[in-house]
Amino acid sequence: MKITPRENAEFVAFNSQKGSSEAMGFWRFVSVPVVVVLLIIGFVYHTVVVLVIQPWLNISTTSGFANVALLTILCTMALLSYTLAVVRDPGYIPSSYLPDLEDEGVALQEVKRKVFPGGDRYCQKCEQYKPPRAHHCRVCKRCVLRMDHHCVWINNCVGHNNYKAFFLFVLYVVGASLQSMILLGTHFIHTLGEEVPEGMDGKTLSPSVASSALTRVICAVILVPVLIAVGVLMTWHFLLLLHNKTTIEYHEGVRAKWLAEKAGHRYRHPYDVGIYTNLVTALGPSITCWFCPTATGHLGPGLRFQTFSDDILEME
């Protein structure tokens, strides 16, 4: 897929505006769900490090230091990814955007409610044309490039510019939650085998010991549903990545497949260009940068995307 001069100019404009839009996006932190997410991360990290690793393994030991280092890295990367997912604009459509003739074929392969004659996609609420894979968000009241969904937990849409940060946040949260659950469970089993000091039973535990035990229980109660929910979410988006689909496109594809089979045709998602290329398109050209949320230099303006028909034309 070749980049046209107009797209190159729009890409330059996109990069120049990204910094200012991220600065303005910090207001999204003023949200109850966002504050809850930050409090949970802080609470779990403090509980595991201070009330589990330090008194049990001791941070000065090799195993204690390694566990603290790993959990710190996972939580730091999760917070960095989360911040970028919150503050980054998911993708705006330039006011000067006009559809290209070569985009019409792709547009016709998408399932949409309102299409102008000729296949051009037009948003009547924004009163402007929109490129393939862009959708209108009722919450943000604007069209978003390569929109996946609106997420209340980041107080933002998940779209072209912040999808990688969102996916990595989910990935790092699963890793940190899994490590925390293993440490909490192992510590609990370890304490069961300890002998109770002479003259002390469950009724005479000091307030600090009882408070510490209650805090660990609360932490475990929080982690179980978080690990299950975020684990399912991570698996779902990983499957979407393998096929280069968004959540919206998955549901549209179900109907498109039904319509194609009804007409005696075989449906194929137009943006599925192979597993490796799909991953590279979303995460970056090098595997070493896949897990870095700030490595987004591979993202273009988000107005056109490679399709399997492009590969056929290049081969010919």
Side-chain angles (χ1 to χ4, degrees):
M1 183 180 66
K2 297 181 179 180
I3 302 297
T4 64
R6 192 187 73 182
E7 289 174 333
N8 184 60
E10 289 166 340
F11 183 53
V12 173
F14 155 74
N15 283 327
S16 63
Q17 184 169 344
K18 186 169 66 172
S20 58
S21 64
E22 289 181 5
M24 296 174 59
F26 277 96
W27 68 266
R28 298 193 188 96
F29 278 101
V30 186
S31 167
V32 173
V34 173
V35 173
V36 168
V37 170
L38 296 175
L39 288 176
I40 289 177
I41 295 176
F43 173 73
V44 171
Y45 180 82
H46 175 271
T47 301
V48 175
V49 172
V50 177
L51 301 182
V52 176
I53 298 178
Q54 173 57 27
W56 174 38
L57 299 175
N58 197 327
I59 298 179
S60 61
T61 64
T62 302
S63 59
F65 178 80
N67 276 283
V68 171
L70 177 59
L71 185 61
T72 301
I73 291 173
L74 291 174
C75 289
T76 300
M77 295 303 292
L79 287 173
L80 176 60
S81 301
Y82 186 69
T83 299
L84 294 176
V86 172
V87 304
R88 275 186 177 167
D89 189 294
Y92 68 94
I93 302 175
S95 58
S96 60
Y97 171 77
L98 288 175
D100 291 331
L101 293 176
E102 56 188 294
D103 289 336
E104 295 180 3
V106 178
L108 290 174
Q109 297 180 63
E110 297 185 355
V111 179
K112 47 199 172 296
R113 298 176 182 175
K114 297 178 181 179
V115 182
F116 268 26
D120 298 337
R121 306 171 76 248
Y122 187 84
C123 179
Q124 294 184 343
K125 294 181 180 179
C126 295
E127 297 183 344
Q128 71 174 113
Y129 289 101
K130 55 183 178 180
R133 313 190 82 178
H135 297 274
H136 187 88
C137 176
R138 297 179 180 178
V139 180
C140 297
K141 297 181 180 179
R142 49 166 285 194
C143 285
V144 176
L145 296 175
R146 196 187 178 275
M147 179 179 173
D148 187 273
H149 69 288
H150 184 90
C151 180
V152 66
W153 296 106
I154 65 172
N155 194 25
N156 196 7
C157 268
V158 178
H160 176 63
N161 296 334
N162 65 347
Y163 182 84
K164 179 180 179 179
F166 172 80
F167 175 74
L168 290 181
F169 165 69
V170 173
L171 181 67
Y172 286 122
V173 165
V174 169
S177 300
L178 188 59
Q179 182 192 6
S180 299
M181 281 298 300
I182 292 174
L183 288 171
L184 283 167
T186 307
H187 178 257
F188 174 74
I189 295 174
H190 176 76
T191 54
L192 288 179
E194 292 182 346
E195 295 183 1
V196 179
E198 187 177 352
M200 181 179 292
D201 54 28
K203 298 181 180 180
T204 59
L205 290 176
S206 64
S208 61
V209 174
S211 175
S212 176
L214 179 61
T215 302
R216 292 195 298 268
V217 171
I218 294 175
C219 184
V221 170
I222 292 175
L223 277 174
V224 171
V226 167
L227 184 57
I228 294 174
V230 182
V232 171
L233 184 64
M234 182 196 70
T235 304
W236 167 250
H237 279 281
F238 181 69
L239 294 175
L240 290 178
L241 274 177
L242 293 180
H243 298 282
N244 200 2
K245 291 182 180 180
T246 64
T247 300
I248 293 176
E249 289 170 349
Y250 169 81
H251 293 292
E252 288 180 339
V254 173
R255 173 172 171 76
K257 183 178 180 180
W258 177 76
L259 292 174
E261 291 178 349
K262 188 177 180 181
H265 303 296
R266 180 175 175 271
Y267 173 77
R268 176 178 174 180
H269 181 58
Y271 304 104
D272 187 354
V273 290
I275 292 178
Y276 180 74
T277 305
N278 292 341
L279 293 174
V280 165
T281 300
L283 303 179
S286 175
I287 297 180
T288 57
C289 69
W290 283 7
F291 300 98
C292 179
T294 58
T296 56
H298 62 286
L299 295 178
L303 302 179
R304 290 185 61 215
F305 296 90
Q306 182 180 358
T307 65
F308 64 83
S309 60
D310 294 331
D311 294 336
I312 294 175
L313 291 175
E314 289 180 3
M315 290 176 62
E316 292 179 348

